[in-house]
Amino acid sequence: MSGQSITDRITAAQHSVTGSAISKTVCKATTHEIMGPKKKHLNYLIQCTNEMNVNIPQLADTLFERTASTSWVVVFKSLTTTHHLMVYGNERFIQYLASRNTLFNLSNFLDRSGLQGYDMSTFIRRYSRYLNEKAVSYRQVAFDFTKVKRGPDGVMRTMNTEKLLKTVSVIQTQMDVLLDFNVNANELTNGVINAAFMLLFKDAIRLFAAYNESIINLLEKYFDMKKVQCKEGLDLYKKFLTRMTRISEFLKVAEQVGIDRGDIPDLSQAPSSLLDALEQHLASLEGKKVKDSTAASRASTLSSAVSSLANTGMSFSKVDEREKQAALEEEQARLKALKVRFSLTAASDLLDLQPTFQQPLSTATNIWGGEDTFLLGNTSSFTVTTLRHMSHSYNSIDVLGGILKPTVASSPHQRMTLNSQQPHPKLVCDDLDSSLANLVGNLGIGNGRAKNDLHWNQSDEKKLTGGTNWLPNTAPSTTWNPATMAPSAVAFPAATPAGMLAYAMPPRMGSMMITQPTMMYTQPAMRSPNPFGPNPGAQFYYTSRRCLHMRSDLSVRKKSDVI
């Protein structure tokens, strides 16, 4: 079976719905894929153990629940993930495991789904037993042997005799359980068991380094111990020699599966003469007859043995330094990759902040002291230059006289300059023809080109406009006298702007005149809401001219009636 199963996907989806990121990550780290847990999932769980607001018991219980699966892949990967967190996670995790009465109850686990399941079930039972013993060892000594300080001033070298004897016994028990994994190179056939073996290999090196230093301390204190302590110490040393042979075999398997030779320490055994000296000293304490040996000879033998074991300790220290350097380089490479990713993300975010529509057009300061900008609706802002390129009906937007001037903020100095340089007259109140003609001229309708001059034809009517908070001027009202004119009113067409009334042609001479009620007709200064739509100025012009013709016709008819 390879790849994530449907059960894995469903379980991950359920955790996504419930919002449990830790449970989801545990599920992804322990899928049915025949490969070791992915590093990204392991790193996330390690980070969770360092967060104070993370519930460590919940994390551990989630891993325990995954070991209840019947699939050897899921169970093996759950054990590997737990071991990884015990080694690299925060100490709170292993402290919680040590506080539990029971951890993994997999002594009878067996996957009957296939031949590979039978083979891997054996290593699962051994692996779970080691993890249980690792937690029990932490409970007994209150620290992890694989993480203690080493060297002449290390924990194991400075421990007193009574505590040392108890601690060495705990180390030996844990080492025995680790070596009981007893795997051969030809049995490391998949990524799941390989991941577990690598963790066991690193634990074996560090654990034996602590074991080696405890034996050095034991030998240095041996000739000063009491008889009972010497007897126990001698027994511990004999077991140490046996385990040194077993650890050598374990390291050979590691070398066969491709682990770098530089990562495997060299083991130096103490001279056999040391064991004879230790046995003779114990026999002398028991009152037995032994060979005569001087203190100088014992000291020489002890010094040679301690030197050999110290060399082994230095070899372990070099392996640790090499591993730390590799981990540091890996962390630096990851930080570099994160920096590159962050810089690319930041650049992308800055690009996303740019507006959707941009015109690479220059912006000029208008004659009112600010940027010529018109707002179309409530969405986009365009410069006058953009409008000049896009307009179909208007060839010039910034020369609309007193009709379409924008209201912009300007400084007092700008207003003074404006008032002295750019006068803009309002509509002529007494002359409708002149006002309409000037309006049409400013709009540039009909001549096909933009009108660039901003001066009105009648210089005696010039007045200053523009500036801050400028409001559009409104033409004066014109009262139509029903006594002199009585056209028939009709509804204005849809194209006629609101507030504008169109009149039909007057009746011929001799027809009955219908008196219309008095009405006021106001000529507003219209401003187009959309410069690209129909031209209201042109409609207003033609309608007004039509009214003038009607007025002239009525005057002629009135005179003829009088005659």
Side-chain angles (χ1 to χ4, degrees):
M1 181 185 298
S2 62
Q4 294 187 18
S5 64
I6 298 178
T7 305
D8 295 332
R9 299 180 185 275
I10 294 176
T11 306
Q14 290 175 348
H15 292 310
S16 299
V17 172
T18 58
S20 179
I22 295 179
S23 300
K24 179 181 178 181
T25 306
V26 169
C27 177
K28 287 183 172 294
T30 58
T31 59
H32 288 77
E33 296 176 281
I34 304 180
M35 57 180 294
K38 293 183 179 179
K39 194 169 185 179
K40 62 179 180 180
H41 299 145
L42 296 176
N43 291 338
Y44 178 81
L45 295 177
I46 291 173
Q47 183 63 30
C48 289
T49 62
N50 294 320
E51 298 294 337
M52 298 304 298
N53 59 341
V54 171
N55 191 339
I56 297 297
Q58 179 184 359
L59 172 58
D61 291 342
T62 305
L63 289 169
F64 295 150
E65 291 175 0
R66 297 294 288 175
T67 60
S69 174
T70 57
S71 171
W72 70 268
V73 181
V74 175
V75 177
F76 217 150
K77 293 174 74 171
S78 301
L79 296 175
T80 305
T81 303
T82 304
H83 190 186
H84 194 91
L85 296 181
M86 294 173 73
V87 175
Y88 300 105
N90 192 279
E91 195 171 3
R92 295 189 302 146
F93 185 78
I94 192 173
Q95 285 176 352
Y96 172 73
L97 297 182
S99 66
R100 291 175 60 100
N101 294 328
T102 58
L103 293 181
F104 301 106
N105 187 15
L106 299 172
S107 58
N108 297 321
F109 177 81
L110 182 62
D111 186 350
R112 297 181 175 85
S113 60
L115 181 60
Q116 191 177 26
Y118 275 96
D119 295 338
M120 294 296 108
S121 296
T122 302
F123 296 107
I124 287 175
R125 294 192 295 268
R126 296 173 182 175
Y127 194 24
S128 63
R129 182 168 174 260
Y130 169 72
L131 295 181
N132 289 340
E133 186 61 35
K134 185 179 178 69
V136 171
S137 298
Y138 187 92
R139 183 193 308 167
Q140 292 176 342
V141 298
F143 59 83
D144 188 353
F145 291 115
T146 62
K147 299 180 181 179
V148 295
K149 181 181 179 181
R150 297 196 294 268
D153 57 344
V155 175
M156 305 306 298
R157 294 286 293 271
T158 58
M159 196 173 291
N160 59 56
T161 303
E162 183 178 358
K163 187 176 181 180
L164 177 64
L165 294 174
K166 294 180 180 179
T167 303
V168 173
S169 178
V170 175
I171 295 179
Q172 285 183 345
T173 303
Q174 184 175 344
M175 178 63 70
D176 289 341
V177 178
L178 188 152
L179 296 176
D180 285 343
F181 192 72
N182 195 22
V183 64
N184 297 322
N186 56 0
E187 293 174 324
L188 300 174
T189 56
N190 57 76
V192 180
I193 192 173
N194 290 344
F197 179 77
M198 285 301 301
L199 292 174
L200 290 173
F201 167 74
K202 293 179 180 179
D203 266 16
I205 291 178
R206 296 167 183 170
L207 185 61
F208 191 82
Y211 192 13
N212 185 73
E213 290 200 345
S214 66
I215 294 299
I216 293 176
N217 189 14
L218 177 65
L219 294 176
E220 291 175 344
K221 292 180 170 60
Y222 182 81
F223 293 100
D224 298 329
M225 292 179 182
K226 298 177 182 180
K227 182 176 66 173
V228 178
Q229 293 176 339
C230 285
K231 185 177 182 179
E232 185 179 357
L234 179 61
D235 183 60
L236 293 175
Y237 179 72
K238 291 179 179 179
K239 292 180 179 179
F240 171 76
L241 297 178
T242 304
R243 283 151 184 79
M244 181 173 285
T245 304
R246 294 186 64 188
I247 194 68
S248 299
E249 296 175 356
F250 185 87
L251 296 180
K252 288 180 181 179
V253 175
E255 186 176 0
Q256 292 174 2
V257 296
I259 295 179
D260 193 284
R261 187 66 183 86
D263 296 333
I264 301 176
D266 296 325
L267 302 181
S268 300
Q269 293 186 355
S272 58
S273 58
L274 176 62
L275 181 60
D276 295 337
L278 297 177
E279 290 177 346
Q280 290 179 7
H281 177 71
L282 178 61
S284 65
L285 292 178
E286 292 176 348
K288 296 179 181 180
K289 187 177 179 180
V290 294
K291 297 179 181 179
D292 293 336
S293 60
T294 61
S297 63
R298 290 202 306 264
S300 176
T301 304
L302 179 62
S303 177
S304 176
V306 170
S307 177
S308 299
L309 297 178
N311 291 333
T312 301
M314 292 179 60
S315 178
F316 282 108
S317 299
K318 291 180 180 178
V319 172
D320 285 346
E321 291 296 330
R322 191 178 295 108
E323 183 179 353
K324 291 179 181 179
Q325 184 64 26
L328 182 60
E329 293 176 356
E330 182 181 355
E331 186 68 19
Q332 290 177 350
R334 185 169 62 177
L335 289 176
K336 185 177 180 180
L338 289 175
K339 289 181 180 179
V340 173
R341 181 180 178 183
F342 176 78
S343 61
L344 294 176
T345 304
S348 177
D349 292 342
L350 290 176
L351 292 176
D352 292 340
L353 291 176
Q354 299 296 326
T356 304
F357 177 81
Q358 286 187 338
Q359 287 287 343
L361 301 175
S362 60
T363 302
T365 303
N366 59 18
I367 59 174
W368 294 282
E371 180 183 349
D372 284 329
T373 305
F374 288 89
L375 294 177
L376 302 181
N378 296 322
T379 56
S380 303
S381 175
F382 301 91
T383 60
V384 170
T385 311
T386 308
L387 288 175
R388 288 173 180 169
H389 284 281
M390 298 176 64
S391 176
H392 299 289
S393 300
Y394 304 112
N395 294 319
S396 179
I397 299 300
D398 59 342
V399 288
L400 300 183
I403 303 300
L404 296 180
K405 292 179 182 177
T407 300
V408 296
S410 60
S411 62
H413 176 72
Q414 291 173 334
R415 288 196 296 268
M416 293 178 62
T417 306
L418 171 66
N419 293 336
S420 61
Q421 295 180 358
Q422 300 294 341
H424 289 276
K426 63 181 181 179
L427 295 178
V428 181
C429 299
D430 299 333
D431 192 347
L432 181 59
D433 291 338
S434 300
S435 298
L436 293 174
N438 289 331
L439 175 60
V440 174
N442 284 333
L443 291 176
I445 299 175
N447 52 10
R449 60 181 180 85
K451 184 175 181 180
N452 295 325
D453 60 312
L454 304 178
H455 300 285
W456 291 71
N457 293 332
Q458 298 183 8
S459 59
D460 55 342
E461 294 294 337
K462 291 182 179 179
K463 292 185 180 181
L464 298 179
T465 59
T468 306
N469 300 326
W470 179 87
L471 298 176
N473 294 321
T474 304
S477 302
T478 303
T479 303
W480 298 93
N481 190 355
T484 60
M485 172 182 174
S488 298
V490 296
F492 56 86
T496 305
M500 188 180 300
L501 189 62
Y503 290 88
M505 292 299 294
R508 294 180 177 274
M509 292 294 296
S511 62
M512 182 177 61
M513 301 294 292
I514 302 175
T515 304
Q516 300 292 334
T518 304
M519 65 176 61
M520 302 296 294
Y521 183 80
T522 304
Q523 299 178 4
M526 293 176 299
R527 181 173 182 173
S528 175
N530 183 6
F532 308 109
N535 192 338
Q539 297 173 357
F540 173 72
Y541 171 74
Y542 292 119
T543 305
S544 302
R545 295 299 300 173
R546 188 177 184 182
C547 294
L548 290 177
H549 287 299
M550 292 167 59
R551 185 174 181 181
S552 300
D553 190 16
L554 289 174
S555 299
V556 174
R557 291 166 58 188
K558 185 175 181 180
K559 290 180 181 180
S560 62
D561 292 341
V562 172
I563 296 174

